[in-house]
Amino acid sequence: MTTTPKHALDEVLDEQNTGKTKGVLYVGIDLGTSRTSVAASNGVRETVWSYVGYPKDVVARKLLKKDKLFGKEAVEKRLSLDLYRPFEKGFIKYADTDTEHPPEELDKHMRAAKDLVRHALQLCRPRKDELLYGVIGAPAQASVKNKALIIEAAREVLDAVMICSEPFAVAYGLDRLEDTLVVDIGAGTVDLCRMHGTMPAEEDQITLTTAGDWLDQQLFALLKKKAPNADFTIHRVKEIKEKYAFVTDAAEPVRVELLVNGKPTVFDVTEEIRTACRMIVPPIVKAIHKLVSTFDPDFQHKLRNNVILAGGGSQIIGLGRVLEETMQKMLGSGEVIQVEEPKYAGCNGALKMAHDMPEEYWKRLA
Ligand SMILES: Nc1ncnc2c1ncn2[C@@H]1O[C@H](COP(=O)(O)OP(=O)(O)OP(=O)(O)O)[C@@H](O)[C@H]1O
Ligand SMILES: [Mg+2]
């Protein structure tokens, strides 16, 4: 006779038998540097930019008529707000290596992280009588301390939590648990993870910081060089990148308007965009090489030809092809496929895991 593992839901049913009546809403949560996405077992899927803003003063509060703003709205009203991006490099996710920021800064980011997690879970529309069980994706190489901080951010809103690595969540959601290499190109990190039919270990994962935010900075510098008299912010550069990013040899010319002395002026930035976007390729191929070459030799071939691209950065036009060509040069061969839903691949996988995980994998929160 086989015994099925005791599931979180069973426990709640037990509770029901003792008179308490609480159902469980399972939620997969991807706390991204740039976007927080949630998928819940009631069918809700939502995504919000990972920004939280608080009115700077009493005038700002009167104007905005609320004391917290989230996502795109917060970015749009940023002149009236103290704006936080709580999962940005240097804060919650990297608290260990952060020497730049004083502890008060971490506290403020922690508060913003808690508010953002609460907001994202509210978007899932849980009923008052439901328990919330959430699986949260964390960067592949998040430390014990980083994970503890992520749990801390969720403590006030979740009843039980599990942390899993972001690229593992992607693989789990796609049912690609064997001989697959996931490359999740986010804003703060590129997370790589090789799958071999079990839970991935430390040596199966690599985290790079040459991701979307880094790419924005590279493009910013190239645009400054091209148009030294133009005024633009990193927000505008990100916008341009998201609209036009490509790495192919052939391309339509990209012309954008930038302000010079307050006057909109058109610049051809085709070359700058191509050059910046191509910069993310070598570190990724180097990391793929490392994960492939240290894999069981009998399965290296399969791994190399089973690379899955996920994350917002995977939408750079032609990236899959250029990665394949570079892998062919460095590794002899390589095949890359792109996930269909780069926005939701992580939280979909986390939700699936939430459904599948037996009770002992969950951490109950008080
Ligand atoms: N069409 C596009 N072309 C290129 N980059 C894009 C495009 N759309 C979004 N991005 C970039 O993808 C990144 C966001 O991806 P994603 O939402 O997967 O990241 P995240 O999960 O928030 O970050 P992380 O996983 O590092 O915490 C940003 O850098 C964004 O600018
Ligand atoms: Mg991500």
Side-chain angles (χ1 to χ4, degrees):
M1 196 183 83
T2 54
T3 49
T4 45
K6 189 170 168 60
H7 195 274
L9 197 59
D10 300 337
E11 184 134 314
V12 176
L13 292 175
D14 289 347
E15 283 180 7
Q16 283 181 354
N17 294 337
T18 59
K20 293 175 198 160
T21 51
K22 282 206 162 184
V24 172
L25 181 69
Y26 292 104
V27 189
I29 308 162
D30 183 353
L31 293 181
T33 308
S34 86
R35 219 173 25 207
T36 295
S37 305
V38 285
S41 52
N42 60 5
V44 173
R45 288 206 309 184
E46 291 287 348
T47 181
V48 54
W49 290 2
S50 301
Y51 286 93
V52 187
Y54 304 95
K56 274 183 181 157
D57 60 17
V58 44
V59 175
R61 180 164 293 121
K62 186 173 160 60
L63 175 80
L64 299 166
K65 298 189 182 67
K66 39 190 158 183
D67 56 9
K68 284 170 211 160
L69 278 78
F70 297 97
K72 199 166 180 217
E73 190 184 14
V75 177
E76 282 166 3
K77 306 279 187 210
R78 63 184 179 273
L79 298 183
S80 310
L81 300 171
D82 288 322
L83 191 65
Y84 292 91
R85 213 181 169 201
F87 305 118
E88 193 169 38
K89 183 177 176 333
F91 295 102
I92 318 271
K93 284 185 171 179
Y94 303 86
D96 280 0
T97 48
D98 185 16
T99 48
E100 253 173 73
H101 306 97
E104 318 79 86
E105 277 298 297
L106 179 63
D107 288 348
K108 286 183 187 164
H109 278 74
M110 199 62 206
R111 171 182 165 212
K114 284 181 183 174
D115 285 336
L116 187 58
V117 171
R118 181 182 298 277
H119 175 71
L121 288 168
Q122 275 165 356
L123 294 176
C124 295
R125 300 194 289 278
R127 294 200 317 258
K128 276 220 170 69
D129 60 348
E130 271 173 333
L131 291 171
L132 271 176
Y133 277 43
V135 172
I136 304 181
Q141 288 174 323
S143 69
V144 172
K145 183 171 173 200
N146 302 145
K147 286 179 187 161
L149 286 171
I150 293 172
I151 291 176
E152 198 47 46
R155 179 172 295 281
E156 287 163 23
V157 268
L158 288 179
D159 296 286
V161 70
M162 221 181 85
I163 304 280
C164 74
S165 103
E166 280 164 3
F168 177 70
V170 171
Y172 199 89
L174 299 173
D175 254 331
R176 305 285 288 249
L177 299 173
E178 274 181 317
D179 311 323
T180 301
L181 209 166
V182 175
V183 181
D184 178 356
I185 308 174
T189 52
V190 178
D191 284 284
L192 296 97
C193 179
R194 65 181 179 208
M195 305 293 304
H196 45 76
T198 65
M199 279 278 187
E202 181 95 25
E203 66 270 19
D204 297 316
Q205 318 198 41
I206 293 179
T207 296
L208 307 170
T209 51
T210 46
D213 286 350
W214 177 85
L215 173 49
D216 295 344
Q217 286 160 11
Q218 307 309 307
L219 183 57
F220 187 93
L222 290 173
L223 294 180
K224 267 283 161 220
K225 224 170 166 182
K226 170 95 184 196
N229 298 327
D231 290 318
F232 49 87
T233 63
I234 197 84
H235 293 284
R236 174 78 178 120
V237 172
K238 184 168 182 261
E239 217 174 76
I240 293 172
K241 177 197 72 177
E242 292 181 2
K243 190 155 177 201
Y244 300 107
F246 75 97
V247 287
T248 44
D249 286 331
E252 293 278 307
V254 181
R255 295 195 184 90
V256 297
E257 259 183 18
L258 300 171
L259 292 173
V260 178
N261 248 332
K263 182 171 165 242
T265 312
V266 175
F267 292 90
D268 184 323
V269 296
T270 320
E271 204 42 55
E272 284 69 21
I273 292 183
R274 183 192 287 119
T275 305
C277 292
R278 283 191 176 177
M279 286 177 178
I280 69 163
V281 173
I284 292 177
V285 175
K286 204 171 147 200
I288 292 176
H289 187 182
K290 188 165 176 206
L291 288 177
V292 170
S293 63
T294 54
F295 200 50
D296 183 317
D298 292 341
F299 296 92
Q300 287 188 10
H301 177 75
K302 273 192 169 170
L303 195 62
R304 207 184 307 133
N305 293 317
N306 224 344
V307 174
I308 297 188
L309 277 194
S314 69
Q315 297 171 95
I316 295 174
I317 292 165
L319 184 62
R321 266 267 298 286
V322 170
L323 278 173
E324 280 180 350
E325 285 163 13
T326 318
M327 282 171 73
Q328 262 146 21
K329 277 186 212 142
M330 280 181 71
L331 293 158
S333 74
E335 262 175 54
V336 175
I337 48 172
Q338 259 146 306
V339 297
E340 276 173 27
E341 294 191 303
K343 256 191 212 172
Y344 291 105
C347 65
N348 283 346
L351 174 60
K352 193 162 173 207
M353 213 181 299
H355 275 294
D356 292 350
M357 284 300 145
E359 180 63 23
E360 61 265 27
Y361 279 82
W362 290 95
K363 179 182 170 64
R364 288 287 199 137
L365 301 172

